[in-house]
Amino acid sequence: MKRSLFFPVIIFLILLGTVVSAQTVLSLHALFSDNMVLQRDSKIPVWGKAEAGRKVDVRIGSNLKSTYADADGKWKLFLNEMSAGENYEMTVSSGKDTVKFTNVSVGEVWLCSGQSNMEFQLIKSENGEAEIKNANDTRIRLFTVAHKSSPIPLENCEGVWKACSPENVKNFSAVAYHFAKNLINEINVTIGLIHSSWGGTPIEAWISKETLESDPEFEQVFQRWEKIVEEYPAVLNDFNLNKEKLLLKWKEDSAKSVSLGFAPPRKPGLPTAPGGRNTPYGLYNGMIYPLAPYGIRGVIWYQGESNVGRPGEYKKLFPAMIKNWRDVWGVGQFPFYFVQLPNFAREPEPSGSGWPELREAQLHTLSVPNTGMAVTIDVGDPMDLHPKNKTDVGYRLALIALANAYGKKNLVFSGPIYKSHRIDENKVILDFYYGEGLTAMGDGKLKGFRIASDDWEFVDAEAVIENNKVIVWSDKITKPSALRYAWGDNPTGNLYNKGGLPASPFRTDNREK
């Protein structure tokens, strides 16, 4: 189905200026600037614009390649592979025009994307001020992609490379910074972080239109958005008329929730606008597509909160997005590491909120080749959708990268992941991947296991570790048929492995709730 979910597209295109003058001066994509990091050990794509038909030369040291601008003034070439190195100068020449970039490094480049918890600034994070004060490692380079939602795939973005310094890093992604900080001391090469995230956004905003249209199951994404667009004027008018009442009710509900030990509900704000950040495929067009094919090692991703109401849909959308991004880069199945949603106490348990099911959808995404998941069920803040502990999140993502992308094979990079189970009389016996050295963190007694018989009434269960397996039972259940661990918005659970990493929440059944 062909459709456009943006308006007015024609005016947008006029403002964008899609016609390229035949006399375009030499220019490069925004990702090419002073302080840039180029991906080592792979061909280096470089592209931009010049006068139509004009020869373009790109040189880094003895690495020289040439091409010609096409009829629209566009050009692209690939420099030869380079090993890690520092303090290069890149020179780009075409006719009388020359552009030079200094302090160029060849190292490791990671794309860091998602929503608010990836966007969460270092200055706001736990121990942020101390981290900023000591953040003078110029081997870490930072590029922030400006927010942009677009009805069509854009050719460029806004941003500039900056060397890491207290001033430059304070408003940068805390997760991305801690990820790089943990990598840098192990691999000892310059790391470039391309930060492209936007808070409050659903996953469908980060997926191409073609991908969303390729699967009939994604038709509901368009139908839902078309309804939002259709109802927007009335919803906006209702919000403006009742804003004070809505805010008053929010304050009352927040006070009640906090008094009961739950996070306050989301503060009412302007309704989602057509053409804005939540538009399907809009952020892919404006903040992902323009970055390809810039050389990257891989992606780290932290998103999911905006899709908790639709976990079944997310289970298909997330793998589709990963494939979509890999296809547009066209360099194979690069590493894609993501953060599983943390604990969060929105409502009394069981809430039926979709949080545990969304975590399960993320867990299932590990079936996609060359992916990894950082479990954070123990480092969230039950009272805050934006937990300030981003240190552990970045560290756990870095462990995955070090073990898988960088060959540090002796590292324990994942907590226990459910593998299989069998039932022996009234006991459920569990096996785990990454289950070496299973342990109960804290007082030594395993917590967070619940089992049920065929009536689906779950009860708290006893659990012990024997021979690196977990044995679970309850005197109330003579014939167990299903088991769940840490299953809830803000669950209890203390199963860890020898690496000090927590087990992912899981269940042995597949009921909808």
Side-chain angles (χ1 to χ4, degrees), residues 20-29 32 46-52 54-59 67-69 73-77 90-101 156:
V20 179
S21 166
Q23 300 298 319
T24 301
V25 225
L26 177 65
S27 64
L28 282 85
H29 189 283
F32 300 95
V46 186
W47 70 98
K49 294 180 180 179
E51 184 179 342
R54 179 78 68 175
K55 184 183 180 185
V56 180
D57 299 313
V58 180
R59 179 192 294 273
T67 191
Y68 289 85
K74 299 177 183 178
W75 60 269
K76 180 170 67 175
L77 54 74
M90 176 190 282
T91 303
V92 185
S93 302
S94 182
K96 296 180 180 180
D97 296 330
T98 298
V99 178
K100 291 185 178 181
F101 302 112
N156 212 334

Side-chain angles (χ1 to χ4, degrees), residues 300-469:
I300 57 172
W301 171 262
Y302 193 164
Q303 188 275 340
E305 293 91 340
S306 292
N307 288 86
V308 293
R310 300 176 272 125
E313 188 178 273
Y314 195 90
K315 189 175 179 180
K316 289 205 68 176
L317 284 171
F318 192 17
M321 189 197 79
I322 295 172
K323 182 180 185 302
N324 179 193
W325 290 19
R326 287 172 170 173
D327 287 347
V328 76
W329 255 267
V331 292
Q333 296 179 335
F334 54 67
F336 197 107
Y337 307 141
F338 55 93
V339 180
Q340 190 184 49
L341 292 188
N343 51 309
F344 180 56
R346 175 72 83 189
E347 301 171 12
E349 301 282 11
S351 70
S353 68
W355 276 73
E357 288 82 8
L358 197 287
R359 293 190 198 105
E360 181 181 58
Q362 293 173 317
L363 176 63
H364 286 172
T365 306
L366 288 175
S367 63
V368 177
N370 208 9
T371 57
M373 182 178 74
V375 176
T376 60
I377 196 66
D378 59 333
V379 293
D381 184 339
M383 301 296 287
D384 194 344
L385 189 65
H386 305 108
K388 292 181 173 57
N389 179 0
K390 298 297 191 269
T391 306
D392 286 320
V393 180
Y395 169 70
R396 291 175 184 179
L397 284 168
L399 284 179
I400 300 170
L402 289 169
N404 294 279
Y406 300 114
K408 308 288 185 180
K409 298 302 183 184
N410 293 328
L411 281 180
V412 178
F413 65 89
S414 173
I417 301 291
Y418 167 70
K419 181 179 181 181
S420 63
H421 76 280
R422 62 185 176 87
I423 296 175
D424 184 1
E425 295 182 350
N426 70 327
K427 293 181 171 62
V428 183
I429 302 170
L430 299 164
D431 272 322
F432 294 87
Y433 298 104
Y434 315 112
E436 298 84 358
L438 292 177
T439 187
M441 190 67 72
D443 63 10
K445 182 178 180 180
L446 281 177
K447 302 172 184 177
F449 290 92
R450 308 190 81 212
I451 58 175
S453 57
D454 291 337
D455 63 4
W456 294 100
E457 294 293 328
F458 282 87
V459 300
D460 292 338
E462 301 293 323
V464 295
I465 298 167
E466 290 185 7
N467 300 319
N468 259 8
K469 300 179 189 296

Side-chain angles (χ1 to χ4, degrees), residues 1 207-218 222 320:
M1 177 181 292
I207 303 174
S208 74
K209 182 180 180 182
E210 292 72 21
T211 298
L212 291 173
E213 289 179 336
S214 69
D215 190 327
E217 290 192 38
F218 298 157
F222 292 111

Side-chain angles (χ1 to χ4, degrees), residues 15 76 115 133 167 177 187 199 231 268 305 310 330 333 358 390 398 408 414 466 478 501-502 513:
L15 293 175
K76 180 170 67 175
Q115 59 180 116
K133 183 178 180 181
E167 180 61 28
Y177 170 73
I187 64 175
E231 297 177 350
E305 293 91 340
R310 300 176 272 125
Q333 296 179 335
L358 197 287
K390 298 297 191 269
K408 308 288 185 180
S414 173
E466 290 185 7
T478 58
L501 298 174
K513 293 294 182 182

Side-chain angles (χ1 to χ4, degrees), residues 66-331:
S66 302
T67 191
Y68 289 85
D70 66 16
D72 294 322
K74 299 177 183 178
W75 60 269
K76 180 170 67 175
L77 54 74
F78 292 84
L79 294 171
N80 292 333
E81 297 180 8
M82 297 178 66
S83 300
E86 307 292 326
N87 300 318
Y88 288 107
E89 182 178 273
M90 176 190 282
T91 303
V92 185
S93 302
S94 182
K96 296 180 180 180
D97 296 330
T98 298
V99 178
K100 291 185 178 181
F101 302 112
T102 60
N103 197 29
V104 176
S105 294
V106 180
E108 293 292 290
V109 182
W110 286 86
L111 172 57
C112 316
S113 188
Q115 59 180 116
S116 54
N117 275 306
M118 179 61 79
E119 196 171 29
F120 197 87
Q121 299 163 319
L122 187 60
I123 186 66
K124 297 178 181 179
S125 68
E126 185 176 273
N127 301 318
E129 291 186 6
E131 290 287 350
I132 291 166
K133 183 178 180 181
N134 296 308
N136 275 307
D137 195 336
T138 58
R139 295 175 300 168
I140 298 176
R141 308 287 174 83
L142 318 170
F143 186 101
T144 298
V145 178
H147 289 167
K148 177 76 72 172
S149 182
S150 171
I152 61 170
L154 300 183
E155 294 181 357
N156 212 334
C157 66
E158 297 177 32
V160 64
W161 283 103
K162 299 178 181 180
C164 184
S165 68
E167 180 61 28
N168 291 336
V169 81
K170 66 181 182 181
N171 292 318
F172 197 74
S173 163
V175 168
Y177 170 73
H178 283 292
F179 173 74
K181 180 183 174 184
N182 282 283
L183 289 185
I184 199 84
N185 293 326
E186 294 292 331
I187 64 175
N188 196 30
V189 300
T190 300
I191 295 176
L193 301 172
I194 302 173
H195 173 221
S196 183
S197 65
W198 197 339
T201 52
I203 195 169
E204 57 265 29
W206 298 96
I207 303 174
S208 74
K209 182 180 180 182
E210 292 72 21
T211 298
L212 291 173
E213 289 179 336
S214 69
D215 190 327
E217 290 192 38
F218 298 157
E219 174 64 20
Q220 57 193 330
V221 170
F222 292 111
Q223 292 174 350
R224 185 169 50 249
W225 185 254
E226 287 164 356
K227 184 178 180 182
I228 289 173
V229 172
E230 179 183 348
E231 297 177 350
Y232 175 73
V235 173
L236 178 62
N237 183 62
D238 183 68
F239 174 79
N240 287 331
L241 289 174
N242 297 287
K243 182 164 46 178
E244 292 185 4
K245 291 181 181 178
L246 291 171
L247 288 173
L248 179 61
K249 185 176 187 307
W250 171 74
K251 290 179 181 178
E252 293 173 351
D253 291 345
S254 295
K256 182 178 179 181
S257 292
V258 172
S259 70
L260 294 173
F262 303 113
R266 190 184 298 273
K267 185 177 181 179
L270 288 170
T272 300
R277 64 183 177 180
N278 291 349
T279 309
Y281 64 80
L283 303 189
Y284 170 83
N285 285 343
M287 299 177 66
I288 297 300
Y289 180 86
L291 308 179
Y294 194 86
I296 61 173
R297 169 64 68 186
V299 173
I300 57 172
W301 171 262
Y302 193 164
Q303 188 275 340
E305 293 91 340
S306 292
N307 288 86
V308 293
R310 300 176 272 125
E313 188 178 273
Y314 195 90
K315 189 175 179 180
K316 289 205 68 176
L317 284 171
F318 192 17
M321 189 197 79
I322 295 172
K323 182 180 185 302
N324 179 193
W325 290 19
R326 287 172 170 173
D327 287 347
V328 76
W329 255 267
V331 292

